[in-house]
Amino acid sequence: MSDEAERPLDFIRQIVEADLASGKHTTIVTRWPPEPNGYLHIGHTKAIWINSSIAAEYGGRCHLRFDDTNPAAESVEFVEAQKEDMRWLGFDWGEHGYFASDYFPQLYEYALELIRRGHAFVCDLSSEEIEARRGTLTQAGEESPFRDRSVEENLDLFQRMRAGEFAPGDRALRAKIDMGSSVLPMRDPLIYRVVDAVHHRTGSEWPIYPLYDFAHCLSDAIEGVTHSLCTLEFADRRPLYEWILEALDIPEPRPRQIEFNPLNFSHTVLSKRFLRRLVEDDLVSGWDDPRLPTIAALRRRGVPPKALMSLCSKVGVTRREEATVELSRLDFEIRDELNRTAQRRLGVLRPLKVVIENYPEDETEMLPALNNPEDADAGTRDVPFSRELWIDRDDFIEDPPKKFNRMSVGREVRLRAAYFVTTTEVVKDANGDVIELRCTYDPATRGGDAPDGRKVRGTIHWVSAAHAVDAEIRLYDVLFEAEDPFDLPDGVEFIDRLNPNALETLTTCPLEPSVADLPAGTTFQLERAGYFSVDPDTTAEHLVLNRTVGLRDTWAKIARKG
RNA sequence: UGGGGCGUCGCCAAAUGGUAAGGCAGCGGCCUUUGGAGCCGCCAUUUGCAGGUUCGAGUCCUGCCGCCCCAACCA
């Protein structure tokens, strides 16, 4: 990856370098601020990547801060699940794991100060009344009748909010800015509200909670964050972010909010709302269903976290919010990583029996096979070979088309790491379906090379029938066949467009026995079939594999063209 | 229709007024004990459109067109 160095800096790194060069900052501090209200998905990877990689590249630090200001939606379960996902992704926050709720006392003091400075007021309007006065995109809003309360009255009321004297919705603290602003978040935004819920960390200590706009900029300031990186939909809130820091006279250098484009993919959905729909309607098996784009699902499917980080760095950072990455780009990164690191094994997805007629009935020999041709240090393993084998049905065609290099009557091919074999006879059942191949082998070609130098055009994978371990194998395809699942005609829901073939289950797939020894959680390659990982549904008696991603299939393309 | 942002190859994305990088996909070929991997080559006379400024414009100016975001006591 030496070309990495030549890649141009993205616009955020340019800002960071300029801030370092000008002396505005000497240490870069970023932060990744998830709300613990659900599962992380692949889109979140980008924010984790950009915040942590910038901190690492410039010798700074990246904080983890759970943005837990809405107790009604959050829980310790989500905190723990998200932490597990982040660690798996390789995000190491070290000593800098925080919660916005750590700052509730300071935030409350800041709110009091804002009132004292005449920049905030307690509003008695109901939610509906506030909404009615907000105005529209083109019309100014109407000021609250409570806007001009005295500092003393506001202080008293706000302290009584804090004391728990008011019910949710009865009183709220609002910043006093400009109801006529064309920037909607500047129209006297609420900054504290009454919430009747038990917070997962502070319990019932606080009857009031700060809203995002108030909590976020100040939490950044408290932590000394220099660059507060968020996605583009927050751009409209930047004026408010800066207004609050200014109104409280937060000392320079203040944290600076910079927005970047989110990571979107074709053929899937990322929004929490839609993912929840799939899970709750039992359209998938759970939050870690390997068809889903959640981190838990990708992990279960066998995707290496490095592939995700690599994808983020290659896709890059811009301000094009509509940018949508083709899902095949993710497949490429997964293959690229796994090709270099994954061990190879032999296994058959759709078995067809092969009998080597000139091989002794009772003999078994162990043949060494390369664990990873890309990695000289990966060594070899012994694979048992015997008279009766399984091969894949796709590797035999009785009447082969042109360019078909695999098995057919009278044709010699190589069995990977074993021998050259020639099909002599085809056995069929009453329906005329091929159920068995009779072959002969050439003992001189042991290991896969012919001493006389003759060549074969095809190399086929195989498994010794007597030694095979059987597995259930789950094959996956895109969740939605359409690139954009929301490009729908009237009356059609995105749910209606789920790909019915996104999961295909094969029940009895013979694999070489050493697959059973692979540590849980590792992803390996079944040669010519794809990359697979052991699913947690596996028991001592029942092996379950997920296909992480297939191999590039050039033959499929040739065959398609005829 | 107010505000904010964005339009460069099918997708992502460089180019910071000096003559359109790179990756993915695709297409040829070489090589190969995975039809994998690897290697080589091809793939934008042109940057949404129309004008203008300039010796020179994807970059600057003007006007159009298109797309995205913003009206939770969510984040």
Side-chain angles (χ1 to χ4, degrees), chain A residues 14 69-70 134 193 237 318 326 329 344 374 403 405-406 414 416 447 525 528 552 554 557:
Chain A
Q14 287 179 29
T69 57
N70 182 17
R134 189 149 27 226
R193 82 295 211 186
R237 326 197 74 92
T318 69
E326 290 172 345
R329 180 81 171 265
R344 271 59 167 176
E374 302 296 314
K403 297 182 185 167
N405 294 339
R406 285 112 97 147
R414 171 169 39 235
R416 176 75 162 156
Q525 183 189 105
R528 303 210 309 136
R552 243 181 100 219
T554 306
K557 269 178 223 164

Coordinates of all heavy atoms in Angstrom, one line a residue, chain A residues 14 69-70 134 193 237 318 326 329 344 374 403 405-406 414 416 447 525 528 552 554 557, chain B residues 2-3 5-6 10-14 16 23 26 33-37 70-75:
Chain A
Q14 N -7.3 18.4 5.1 CA -6.7 19.7 4.7 C -7.0 20.7 5.8 O -6.1 21.5 6.1 CB -7.3 20.1 3.4 CG -6.8 19.3 2.2 CD -7.4 19.8 0.9 OE1 -7.7 20.9 0.7 NE2 -7.5 18.8 -0.1
T69 N -28.6 11.5 25.8 CA -29.4 12.6 26.4 C -30.9 12.3 26.2 O -31.7 13.2 26.6 CB -29.0 13.9 25.7 OG1 -29.2 13.8 24.3 CG2 -27.6 14.3 26.0
N70 N -31.2 11.1 25.7 CA -32.7 10.8 25.6 C -33.0 9.5 26.2 O -33.0 8.4 25.5 CB -33.1 10.8 24.1 CG -34.5 10.5 23.9 OD1 -35.3 10.7 24.9 ND2 -34.9 10.2 22.7
R134 N -44.0 27.8 14.9 CA -42.6 27.7 14.3 C -42.5 28.4 13.0 O -41.4 28.6 12.5 CB -42.2 26.2 14.3 CG -40.8 26.1 13.9 CD -40.1 24.8 14.5 NE -41.2 23.8 14.8 CZ -41.3 23.1 15.9 NH1 -40.5 23.3 16.9 NH2 -42.2 22.2 16.0
R193 N -35.6 19.8 28.2 CA -37.0 19.4 28.3 C -37.2 18.5 29.5 O -36.2 17.9 30.0 CB -37.6 18.8 27.1 CG -37.3 17.4 26.8 CD -35.9 17.0 26.5 NE -35.7 15.9 25.6 CZ -34.6 15.3 25.3 NH1 -33.5 15.7 25.9 NH2 -34.6 14.3 24.5
R237 N -27.5 22.8 11.6 CA -27.4 23.0 13.0 C -26.1 23.7 13.4 O -25.9 24.0 14.6 CB -27.6 21.7 13.8 CG -28.5 20.7 13.1 CD -29.0 19.7 14.0 NE -30.0 20.2 15.0 CZ -31.3 20.2 14.8 NH1 -31.8 19.7 13.7 NH2 -32.1 20.7 15.7
T318 N -16.3 13.4 1.0 CA -16.7 14.6 0.2 C -17.9 15.2 0.8 O -18.4 14.8 1.9 CB -17.0 14.2 -1.3 OG1 -18.2 13.5 -1.4 CG2 -15.9 13.5 -1.9
E326 N -21.7 1.2 -4.8 CA -22.2 -0.1 -5.2 C -21.8 -1.2 -4.2 O -20.7 -1.3 -3.8 CB -21.7 -0.5 -6.6 CG -22.3 0.4 -7.7 CD -21.6 0.2 -9.1 OE1 -20.5 -0.4 -9.1 OE2 -22.1 0.7 -10.1
R329 N -18.7 -3.2 -4.5 CA -17.4 -2.6 -4.1 C -17.0 -3.1 -2.7 O -15.9 -3.3 -2.4 CB -17.7 -1.1 -4.0 CG -16.5 -0.3 -3.5 CD -15.5 0.0 -4.7 NE -14.5 0.9 -4.3 CZ -14.6 2.2 -4.5 NH1 -15.6 2.7 -5.1 NH2 -13.6 3.0 -4.1
R344 N -7.2 -22.0 2.9 CA -8.0 -22.7 1.9 C -8.4 -24.1 2.4 O -7.6 -24.7 3.1 CB -7.2 -22.8 0.7 CG -7.4 -21.7 -0.3 CD -7.0 -20.3 0.2 NE -6.8 -19.4 -0.9 CZ -6.6 -18.1 -0.7 NH1 -6.4 -17.6 0.5 NH2 -6.5 -17.3 -1.8
E374 N -1.2 -17.6 -1.4 CA -0.8 -16.2 -1.4 C 0.2 -16.0 -0.2 O 0.7 -14.9 -0.1 CB -2.0 -15.3 -1.2 CG -3.0 -15.4 -2.2 CD -2.5 -15.0 -3.6 OE1 -1.9 -13.9 -3.7 OE2 -2.8 -15.7 -4.6
K403 N -15.4 -24.3 -24.5 CA -14.7 -23.6 -23.4 C -15.0 -24.1 -22.0 O -14.5 -23.6 -21.1 CB -15.1 -22.1 -23.4 CG -14.7 -21.3 -24.6 CD -15.1 -19.9 -24.5 CE -14.8 -19.1 -25.8 NZ -15.4 -17.8 -25.8
N405 N -14.1 -26.4 -19.2 CA -12.8 -27.0 -18.9 C -12.9 -28.1 -17.9 O -11.9 -28.6 -17.5 CB -11.8 -26.0 -18.4 CG -11.4 -25.0 -19.5 OD1 -11.6 -25.2 -20.7 ND2 -10.9 -23.8 -19.1
R406 N -14.1 -28.4 -17.5 CA -14.2 -29.3 -16.3 C -14.5 -30.8 -16.8 O -14.0 -31.2 -17.9 CB -15.3 -28.8 -15.4 CG -14.9 -27.6 -14.6 CD -15.5 -26.3 -14.9 NE -16.6 -26.1 -14.0 CZ -17.0 -24.9 -13.5 NH1 -16.4 -23.8 -13.9 NH2 -18.0 -24.8 -12.7
R414 N -7.6 -32.4 -13.4 CA -6.9 -32.5 -12.2 C -7.8 -32.4 -11.0 O -8.6 -31.5 -10.9 CB -5.7 -31.5 -12.1 CG -5.0 -31.5 -10.7 CD -3.8 -30.7 -10.7 NE -4.0 -29.5 -11.5 CZ -3.2 -29.1 -12.5 NH1 -2.1 -29.9 -12.9 NH2 -3.4 -28.0 -13.2
R416 N -7.7 -31.2 -7.4 CA -6.8 -30.3 -6.7 C -6.0 -31.0 -5.7 O -6.5 -31.8 -4.8 CB -7.7 -29.3 -6.0 CG -7.0 -28.3 -5.1 CD -6.3 -27.2 -5.9 NE -6.0 -26.1 -5.1 CZ -5.0 -25.2 -5.4 NH1 -4.2 -25.4 -6.5 NH2 -4.8 -24.2 -4.6
G447 N -0.2 -35.6 -6.4 CA 0.1 -34.2 -6.0 C -0.4 -33.3 -7.1 O -0.4 -32.1 -6.8
Q525 N -11.5 -20.0 3.0 CA -12.0 -20.2 1.6 C -12.3 -21.7 1.3 O -11.4 -22.5 1.6 CB -11.0 -19.7 0.6 CG -11.5 -19.7 -0.8 CD -10.4 -19.4 -1.9 OE1 -9.9 -20.3 -2.5 NE2 -10.1 -18.1 -2.0
R528 N -12.7 -22.5 -5.0 CA -13.6 -22.4 -6.1 C -15.0 -22.2 -5.7 O -15.9 -22.0 -6.6 CB -13.5 -23.6 -7.0 CG -12.0 -23.9 -7.5 CD -12.0 -24.5 -8.9 NE -12.8 -25.7 -8.9 CZ -13.6 -26.0 -10.0 NH1 -13.7 -25.2 -11.0 NH2 -14.3 -27.0 -9.9
R552 N -14.8 -14.4 -7.5 CA -15.1 -13.9 -8.8 C -15.4 -15.1 -9.7 O -14.6 -16.1 -9.7 CB -14.0 -13.1 -9.3 CG -14.3 -11.6 -9.6 CD -13.1 -10.9 -10.1 NE -13.2 -10.7 -11.6 CZ -12.2 -10.8 -12.4 NH1 -11.0 -11.1 -12.0 NH2 -12.4 -10.6 -13.7
T554 N -15.5 -16.0 -13.4 CA -15.3 -15.7 -14.8 C -16.1 -16.7 -15.7 O -16.6 -16.3 -16.7 CB -13.8 -15.7 -15.1 OG1 -13.2 -14.8 -14.2 CG2 -13.6 -15.2 -16.5
K557 N -19.6 -15.8 -16.5 CA -19.7 -14.8 -17.6 C -19.5 -15.4 -18.9 O -20.2 -15.1 -19.9 CB -18.5 -13.7 -17.4 CG -19.0 -12.6 -16.5 CD -17.8 -11.6 -16.4 CE -17.7 -11.1 -14.9 NZ -16.4 -10.5 -14.6
Chain B
rG2 P -37.0 31.2 -2.7 OP1 -36.3 32.4 -3.1 OP2 -36.4 29.9 -3.1 O5' -37.1 31.2 -1.1 C5' -37.2 32.5 -0.4 C4' -36.8 32.3 1.0 O4' -37.6 31.4 1.7 C3' -35.4 31.7 1.1 O3' -34.4 32.7 1.0 C2' -35.4 31.1 2.5 O2' -35.3 32.1 3.5 C1' -36.8 30.5 2.5 N9 -36.8 29.2 2.0 C8 -37.3 28.8 0.7 N7 -37.2 27.5 0.5 C5 -36.6 27.0 1.7 C6 -36.2 25.7 2.0 O6 -36.3 24.7 1.4 N1 -35.7 25.7 3.3 C2 -35.5 26.7 4.1 N2 -34.9 26.5 5.3 N3 -35.8 28.0 3.8 C4 -36.4 28.0 2.6
rG3 P -32.9 32.3 0.4 OP1 -32.2 33.6 0.3 OP2 -33.2 31.5 -0.8 O5' -32.3 31.4 1.5 C5' -32.0 31.9 2.8 C4' -31.6 30.8 3.7 O4' -32.6 29.9 3.8 C3' -30.4 30.0 3.2 O3' -29.2 30.6 3.4 C2' -30.6 28.7 4.0 O2' -30.2 28.9 5.4 C1' -32.1 28.6 4.0 N9 -32.5 27.7 2.9 C8 -33.1 28.1 1.7 N7 -33.3 27.1 0.9 C5 -32.9 26.0 1.6 C6 -32.9 24.6 1.3 O6 -33.3 24.0 0.3 N1 -32.3 23.8 2.3 C2 -31.8 24.3 3.5 N2 -31.4 23.4 4.4 N3 -31.9 25.6 3.9 C4 -32.4 26.3 2.9
rG5 P -23.7 26.6 2.3 OP1 -22.4 26.7 3.0 OP2 -24.1 27.6 1.3 O5' -23.8 25.1 1.6 C5' -23.1 24.0 2.1 C4' -23.6 22.7 1.5 O4' -25.1 22.7 1.3 C3' -23.1 22.5 0.1 O3' -21.8 22.1 0.0 C2' -24.0 21.3 -0.3 O2' -23.6 20.1 0.4 C1' -25.4 21.7 0.3 N9 -26.2 22.3 -0.7 C8 -26.5 23.7 -0.9 N7 -27.3 23.8 -1.9 C5 -27.5 22.6 -2.4 C6 -28.3 22.1 -3.5 O6 -29.0 22.8 -4.3 N1 -28.3 20.7 -3.7 C2 -27.6 19.9 -2.9 N2 -27.6 18.6 -3.1 N3 -26.8 20.3 -1.8 C4 -26.9 21.6 -1.7
rC6 P -20.9 22.5 -1.3 OP1 -19.5 22.2 -0.9 OP2 -21.3 23.8 -1.8 O5' -21.4 21.4 -2.3 C5' -21.3 20.0 -2.0 C4' -22.1 19.2 -2.9 O4' -23.5 19.5 -2.9 C3' -21.7 19.4 -4.4 O3' -20.5 18.7 -4.7 C2' -22.9 18.7 -5.1 O2' -22.9 17.3 -5.0 C1' -24.1 19.2 -4.2 N1 -24.7 20.4 -4.7 C2 -25.7 20.2 -5.7 O2 -25.9 19.1 -6.1 N3 -26.3 21.3 -6.3 C4 -26.0 22.5 -5.8 N4 -26.6 23.6 -6.3 C5 -25.0 22.7 -4.8 C6 -24.4 21.7 -4.2
rG10 P -21.1 6.9 -17.8 OP1 -21.3 6.3 -19.1 OP2 -21.5 8.3 -17.6 O5' -21.8 6.0 -16.7 C5' -23.2 5.6 -16.8 C4' -23.4 4.6 -15.7 O4' -22.7 3.4 -16.2 C3' -22.8 4.9 -14.4 O3' -23.7 5.6 -13.6 C2' -22.5 3.5 -13.8 O2' -23.7 2.9 -13.4 C1' -22.1 2.8 -15.1 N9 -20.6 2.9 -15.3 C8 -20.0 3.4 -16.3 N7 -18.6 3.4 -16.2 C5 -18.4 2.7 -15.0 C6 -17.2 2.4 -14.3 O6 -16.1 2.6 -14.7 N1 -17.5 1.8 -13.1 C2 -18.7 1.5 -12.6 N2 -18.7 0.9 -11.4 N3 -19.8 1.8 -13.2 C4 -19.6 2.4 -14.4
rC11 P -23.2 6.7 -12.5 OP1 -24.4 7.4 -12.0 OP2 -22.1 7.5 -13.2 O5' -22.5 5.8 -11.4 C5' -23.4 5.1 -10.5 C4' -22.5 4.5 -9.4 O4' -21.6 3.6 -10.0 C3' -21.6 5.5 -8.7 O3' -22.2 6.3 -7.7 C2' -20.5 4.6 -8.1 O2' -21.0 3.8 -7.0 C1' -20.3 3.6 -9.3 N1 -19.3 4.0 -10.3 C2 -18.0 3.9 -9.9 O2 -17.7 3.3 -8.8 N3 -17.0 4.3 -10.7 C4 -17.3 4.9 -11.9 N4 -16.3 5.3 -12.7 C5 -18.7 5.1 -12.3 C6 -19.6 4.6 -11.4
rC12 P -21.7 7.7 -7.4 OP1 -22.7 8.3 -6.4 OP2 -21.4 8.4 -8.6 O5' -20.3 7.5 -6.6 C5' -20.3 6.9 -5.3 C4' -18.9 6.7 -4.9 O4' -18.2 5.8 -5.8 C3' -18.0 7.9 -4.9 O3' -18.2 8.7 -3.7 C2' -16.6 7.3 -4.8 O2' -16.4 6.7 -3.6 C1' -16.8 6.1 -5.8 N1 -16.4 6.6 -7.2 C2 -15.0 6.6 -7.5 O2 -14.2 6.3 -6.6 N3 -14.7 7.0 -8.7 C4 -15.6 7.4 -9.6 N4 -15.1 7.9 -10.8 C5 -17.0 7.4 -9.3 C6 -17.4 7.0 -8.1
rA13 P -18.0 10.3 -3.9 OP1 -18.2 10.9 -2.5 OP2 -18.9 10.8 -5.0 O5' -16.5 10.5 -4.4 C5' -15.4 10.0 -3.5 C4' -14.1 10.1 -4.3 O4' -14.2 9.4 -5.5 C3' -13.7 11.5 -4.7 O3' -13.1 12.2 -3.6 C2' -12.7 11.3 -5.8 O2' -11.5 10.9 -5.3 C1' -13.4 10.0 -6.5 N9 -14.2 10.4 -7.6 C8 -15.6 10.5 -7.7 N7 -16.1 10.8 -8.9 C5 -15.0 10.9 -9.7 C6 -14.8 11.1 -11.0 N6 -15.8 11.4 -11.9 N1 -13.5 11.1 -11.5 C2 -12.5 10.8 -10.7 N3 -12.6 10.6 -9.4 C4 -13.8 10.6 -8.9
rA14 P -12.6 13.7 -3.7 OP1 -12.2 14.1 -2.3 OP2 -13.5 14.5 -4.5 O5' -11.2 13.4 -4.5 C5' -10.5 14.6 -4.9 C4' -9.2 14.1 -5.5 O4' -9.5 13.2 -6.6 C3' -8.6 15.3 -6.2 O3' -7.8 15.9 -5.3 C2' -7.8 14.6 -7.3 O2' -6.6 14.1 -6.8 C1' -8.7 13.5 -7.7 N9 -9.5 13.8 -8.9 C8 -10.9 13.8 -8.9 N7 -11.4 14.1 -10.1 C5 -10.2 14.1 -10.9 C6 -10.0 14.3 -12.3 N6 -11.1 14.5 -13.2 N1 -8.8 14.4 -12.8 C2 -7.8 14.2 -11.9 N3 -7.8 14.0 -10.6 C4 -9.1 14.0 -10.2
rU16 P -5.4 21.8 -8.7 OP1 -5.7 21.9 -10.2 OP2 -4.1 22.3 -8.2 O5' -6.6 22.4 -7.9 C5' -7.3 23.5 -8.4 C4' -7.2 24.7 -7.5 O4' -7.7 24.3 -6.2 C3' -5.8 25.2 -7.2 O3' -5.8 26.6 -7.0 C2' -5.4 24.5 -5.9 O2' -4.6 25.3 -5.1 C1' -6.8 24.4 -5.2 N1 -6.9 23.3 -4.2 C2 -7.0 23.7 -2.9 O2 -7.0 24.8 -2.5 N3 -7.1 22.6 -2.0 C4 -7.1 21.3 -2.4 O4 -7.2 20.4 -1.5 C5 -7.1 21.0 -3.8 C6 -7.0 22.0 -4.6
rG23 P -6.0 2.2 -10.9 OP1 -5.0 1.1 -10.9 OP2 -6.7 2.5 -12.1 O5' -7.1 1.9 -9.8 C5' -6.7 1.6 -8.4 C4' -8.0 1.5 -7.6 O4' -8.6 2.8 -7.6 C3' -9.1 0.6 -8.1 O3' -8.8 -0.8 -7.8 C2' -10.3 1.1 -7.4 O2' -10.3 0.7 -6.1 C1' -10.0 2.6 -7.5 N9 -10.6 3.2 -8.7 C8 -10.0 3.6 -9.8 N7 -10.8 4.1 -10.8 C5 -12.1 3.9 -10.2 C6 -13.4 4.3 -10.7 O6 -13.7 4.8 -11.8 N1 -14.4 4.0 -9.8 C2 -14.1 3.4 -8.5 N2 -15.2 3.2 -7.8 N3 -13.0 3.1 -8.0 C4 -12.0 3.4 -8.9
rG26 P -17.1 -7.1 -13.7 OP1 -18.0 -8.3 -13.7 OP2 -15.7 -7.3 -13.3 O5' -17.2 -6.4 -15.1 C5' -18.4 -6.0 -15.7 C4' -18.2 -5.3 -17.0 O4' -17.5 -4.0 -16.7 C3' -17.3 -6.0 -18.0 O3' -17.9 -6.9 -18.7 C2' -16.8 -4.8 -18.8 O2' -17.8 -4.4 -19.7 C1' -16.7 -3.7 -17.7 N9 -15.3 -3.6 -17.3 C8 -14.8 -4.0 -16.0 N7 -13.5 -3.8 -15.9 C5 -13.1 -3.2 -17.1 C6 -11.9 -2.7 -17.5 O6 -10.8 -2.8 -16.9 N1 -11.9 -2.2 -18.8 C2 -13.0 -2.2 -19.6 N2 -12.9 -1.6 -20.8 N3 -14.2 -2.6 -19.2 C4 -14.2 -3.1 -17.9
rU33 P 0.1 -24.6 -13.3 OP1 1.5 -24.9 -13.1 OP2 -0.5 -24.6 -14.6 O5' -0.8 -25.5 -12.3 C5' -2.2 -25.6 -12.6 C4' -3.0 -25.8 -11.3 O4' -2.7 -27.1 -10.8 C3' -2.6 -24.8 -10.2 O3' -3.8 -24.4 -9.6 C2' -1.8 -25.6 -9.2 O2' -1.9 -25.3 -7.9 C1' -2.4 -27.0 -9.4 N1 -1.5 -28.1 -9.0 C2 -1.9 -28.9 -7.9 O2 -2.9 -28.6 -7.3 N3 -1.1 -29.9 -7.6 C4 0.1 -30.3 -8.2 O4 0.7 -31.2 -7.8 C5 0.4 -29.5 -9.3 C6 -0.4 -28.4 -9.7
rU34 P -4.4 -23.0 -9.8 OP1 -4.7 -22.9 -11.3 OP2 -3.6 -22.0 -9.2 O5' -5.8 -23.1 -9.1 C5' -6.6 -24.3 -9.2 C4' -8.0 -24.0 -8.9 O4' -8.1 -23.6 -7.5 C3' -8.5 -22.8 -9.7 O3' -9.9 -23.1 -10.0 C2' -8.4 -21.7 -8.8 O2' -9.4 -20.7 -9.0 C1' -8.7 -22.3 -7.4 N1 -8.1 -21.6 -6.3 C2 -8.9 -21.2 -5.3 O2 -10.1 -21.4 -5.3 N3 -8.3 -20.5 -4.3 C4 -7.0 -20.2 -4.2 O4 -6.5 -19.5 -3.3 C5 -6.1 -20.6 -5.3 C6 -6.7 -21.3 -6.3
rG35 P -10.3 -23.2 -11.5 OP1 -11.7 -23.8 -11.4 OP2 -9.3 -23.9 -12.3 O5' -10.5 -21.8 -12.1 C5' -9.5 -21.0 -12.7 C4' -10.1 -20.0 -13.6 O4' -10.7 -20.7 -14.7 C3' -11.1 -19.1 -12.9 O3' -11.1 -17.8 -13.5 C2' -12.4 -19.8 -13.3 O2' -13.5 -18.9 -13.3 C1' -12.1 -20.3 -14.7 N9 -12.9 -21.5 -15.0 C8 -13.4 -22.5 -14.3 N7 -14.0 -23.4 -14.9 C5 -13.9 -23.0 -16.2 C6 -14.4 -23.5 -17.4 O6 -15.1 -24.6 -17.6 N1 -14.1 -22.8 -18.5 C2 -13.4 -21.6 -18.5 N2 -13.2 -21.0 -19.7 N3 -12.9 -21.0 -17.4 C4 -13.2 -21.8 -16.3
rG36 P -10.3 -16.6 -12.8 OP1 -11.1 -15.4 -13.2 OP2 -8.9 -16.8 -13.2 O5' -10.4 -16.9 -11.2 C5' -11.5 -16.6 -10.5 C4' -11.2 -16.5 -9.0 O4' -10.6 -17.8 -8.6 C3' -10.1 -15.5 -8.7 O3' -10.7 -14.2 -8.5 C2' -9.5 -16.1 -7.4 O2' -10.4 -15.8 -6.3 C1' -9.5 -17.5 -7.7 N9 -8.2 -17.9 -8.4 C8 -8.0 -18.2 -9.7 N7 -6.8 -18.4 -10.0 C5 -6.1 -18.2 -8.8 C6 -4.7 -18.3 -8.5 O6 -3.8 -18.6 -9.2 N1 -4.5 -18.0 -7.1 C2 -5.5 -17.7 -6.2 N2 -5.0 -17.5 -5.0 N3 -6.8 -17.6 -6.5 C4 -7.0 -17.9 -7.8
rA37 P -9.9 -12.9 -9.0 OP1 -10.6 -11.8 -8.4 OP2 -9.7 -13.0 -10.4 O5' -8.5 -13.1 -8.3 C5' -8.3 -12.9 -6.9 C4' -6.9 -13.1 -6.5 O4' -6.5 -14.5 -6.8 C3' -5.9 -12.3 -7.2 O3' -5.7 -11.0 -6.6 C2' -4.6 -13.1 -7.1 O2' -4.1 -13.0 -5.8 C1' -5.2 -14.5 -7.3 N9 -5.2 -14.9 -8.7 C8 -6.2 -15.0 -9.6 N7 -5.8 -15.3 -10.8 C5 -4.5 -15.5 -10.7 C6 -3.5 -15.8 -11.6 N6 -3.8 -16.1 -12.9 N1 -2.2 -16.0 -11.2 C2 -1.9 -15.7 -9.9 N3 -2.8 -15.3 -8.9 C4 -4.0 -15.3 -9.4
rC70 P -34.2 16.1 6.4 OP1 -34.3 15.2 7.6 OP2 -35.2 16.0 5.3 O5' -34.2 17.6 7.0 C5' -33.4 18.0 8.1 C4' -33.6 19.4 8.4 O4' -33.1 20.2 7.3 C3' -35.0 19.9 8.6 O3' -35.5 19.6 9.9 C2' -35.0 21.3 8.3 O2' -34.5 22.1 9.4 C1' -33.9 21.4 7.2 N1 -34.5 21.5 5.8 C2 -34.7 22.8 5.3 O2 -34.5 23.8 6.0 N3 -35.2 22.9 4.0 C4 -35.5 21.8 3.3 N4 -36.0 22.0 2.1 C5 -35.2 20.5 3.8 C6 -34.7 20.4 5.0
rA71 P -36.9 18.9 10.2 OP1 -36.8 18.3 11.5 OP2 -37.3 18.1 9.0 O5' -37.8 20.2 10.2 C5' -37.6 21.2 11.3 C4' -38.8 22.0 11.4 O4' -39.0 22.8 10.2 C3' -40.2 21.3 11.5 O3' -40.4 20.9 12.9 C2' -41.2 22.3 11.0 O2' -41.5 23.2 12.0 C1' -40.4 23.0 9.9 N9 -40.6 22.4 8.6 C8 -39.9 21.4 7.9 N7 -40.4 21.1 6.8 C5 -41.5 21.9 6.6 C6 -42.5 22.0 5.6 N6 -42.5 21.3 4.5 N1 -43.5 22.9 5.8 C2 -43.5 23.6 7.0 N3 -42.7 23.6 8.0 C4 -41.7 22.7 7.8
rA72 P -41.1 19.6 13.3 OP1 -41.0 18.5 12.3 OP2 -42.3 19.9 14.0 O5' -39.9 19.3 14.4 C5' -39.4 18.2 14.7 C4' -40.0 17.7 16.0 O4' -40.1 16.3 15.9 C3' -39.1 18.0 17.2 O3' -39.9 18.2 18.4 C2' -38.3 16.8 17.4 O2' -37.8 16.6 18.6 C1' -39.3 15.7 17.0 N9 -38.8 14.4 16.6 C8 -38.9 13.2 17.2 N7 -38.3 12.3 16.6 C5 -37.9 12.8 15.4 C6 -37.2 12.3 14.3 N6 -36.9 11.0 14.2 N1 -36.9 13.2 13.3 C2 -37.3 14.4 13.4 N3 -37.9 15.1 14.4 C4 -38.2 14.2 15.4
rC73 P -40.2 19.7 19.0 OP1 -41.6 20.0 19.0 OP2 -39.2 20.6 18.4 O5' -39.7 19.4 20.5 C5' -38.4 19.1 20.7 C4' -38.3 18.4 22.1 O4' -38.9 19.3 23.1 C3' -39.0 17.1 22.1 O3' -38.3 16.2 22.9 C2' -40.3 17.4 22.8 O2' -40.8 16.4 23.6 C1' -39.8 18.5 23.8 N1 -40.9 19.4 24.2 C2 -41.3 19.4 25.5 O2 -40.8 18.6 26.3 N3 -42.3 20.2 25.9 C4 -42.9 21.0 25.1 N4 -43.8 21.8 25.6 C5 -42.5 21.1 23.7 C6 -41.5 20.3 23.3
rC74 P -38.1 14.6 22.5 OP1 -39.4 14.0 22.4 OP2 -37.0 14.1 23.4 O5' -37.4 14.7 21.0 C5' -36.0 14.9 20.9 C4' -35.4 13.5 20.5 O4' -35.9 13.1 19.2 C3' -33.9 13.5 20.3 O3' -33.3 13.4 21.6 C2' -33.8 12.3 19.5 O2' -33.9 11.1 20.2 C1' -35.0 12.3 18.5 N1 -34.7 13.0 17.3 C2 -34.2 12.2 16.2 O2 -33.9 11.0 16.5 N3 -33.9 12.8 15.0 C4 -34.2 14.1 14.8 N4 -33.9 14.6 13.6 C5 -34.7 14.9 15.8 C6 -35.0 14.3 17.0
rA75 P -32.0 14.3 21.8 OP1 -31.7 14.1 23.3 OP2 -32.2 15.6 21.3 O5' -30.9 13.6 20.9 C5' -30.5 12.2 21.2 C4' -29.7 11.8 20.0 O4' -30.6 11.8 18.8 C3' -28.5 12.6 19.6 O3' -27.4 12.3 20.4 C2' -28.4 12.3 18.1 O2' -27.7 11.1 17.9 C1' -29.8 12.2 17.7 N9 -30.3 13.5 17.2 C8 -30.9 14.5 17.9 N7 -31.3 15.5 17.2 C5 -31.0 15.1 15.9 C6 -31.1 15.7 14.6 N6 -31.7 17.0 14.5 N1 -30.7 15.1 13.5 C2 -30.2 13.9 13.7 N3 -30.0 13.2 14.8 C4 -30.4 13.9 15.9

